[in-house]
Amino acid sequence: VALYQSNPLVEAAEPNLRRELLQVTPNDPIFPDQWGLLNAGQAHTLSDPAPPTSAGTPDADADVADAWATQDGDPNTVIAILDSGIDVTHPDLDANLWVNPGDATVDGVDNDLNGYVDDVNGCDLTDRICAPLTLLDPPDPALNYAHGTHVAGIVAAEYNQTPMTGVAGVCPQCRIMTLKVGDAFGLNLDAELLAFDYARKMGADIVNVSFG
């Protein structure tokens, strides 16, 4: 290719790559309700009872299935979720958590010298206590983690589980960096700024900020 590109008689040259088309249809039990990802005109069954005229508009979706036909993500892609925290034990998220390569175990030491101790999957930047993330803000972590867990599921929930679990994320092969910047009752600006700095320093490719 370089030889062709250097020839003044050649206007353009590129490799003749072979593209493999992936036929991916998640078998997660709630995937048919995710009409935003793939709308085949199915009834919206989330209301109880479902109204008889609740059929969707075919193809009124984000064309995620078309994207999956080319690629469904890369484990090397890290998406930082700045939110209320994530339930890192959730069975639809646990396999897609980012793991800090320089501090992969909880041992009370800042092994990678980044200023945070035991930031295995990220950190709670509201109090700079990074681990164990599952024990933050007792006694009701579900209340605090609800929004962040919901957002993380949209971003990168696992699919084709055995047993089948939950929903399918837009990027089901990507990794989720957990950065807690508040809870269900409010967000902390200083924590947000620290989170952006952390995401940059630790190599996040994308930062997702889903709050108003």
Side-chain angles (χ1 to χ4, degrees), residues 183-207:
D183 55 30
F185 305 105
L187 303 167
N188 302 344
L189 178 58
D190 62 336
E192 291 176 35
L193 297 175
L194 286 171
F196 277 112
D197 183 63
Y198 182 96
R200 179 184 63 83
K201 288 181 177 177
M202 301 307 292
D205 300 285
I206 299 168
V207 174

Side-chain angles (χ1 to χ4, degrees), residues 105-181:
T105 58
V106 177
D107 58 7
V109 178
D110 179 11
N111 293 288
D112 56 3
L113 303 177
N114 68 348
Y116 298 95
V117 175
D118 294 338
D119 51 324
V120 176
N121 303 125
C123 192
D124 179 354
L125 294 165
T126 64
D127 57 13
R128 286 55 151 185
I129 298 176
C130 299
L133 285 173
T134 53
L135 298 182
L136 294 173
D137 302 312
D140 188 10
L143 176 63
N144 291 318
Y145 292 146
H147 189 266
T149 301
H150 176 85
V151 169
I154 294 172
V155 171
E158 307 155 27
Y159 66 15
N160 292 328
Q161 296 285 298
T162 304
M164 296 181 295
T165 304
V167 298
V170 173
C171 191
Q173 303 293 343
C174 293
R175 295 293 177 260
I176 302 165
M177 179 186 290
T178 305
L179 297 177
K180 190 176 192 303
V181 296

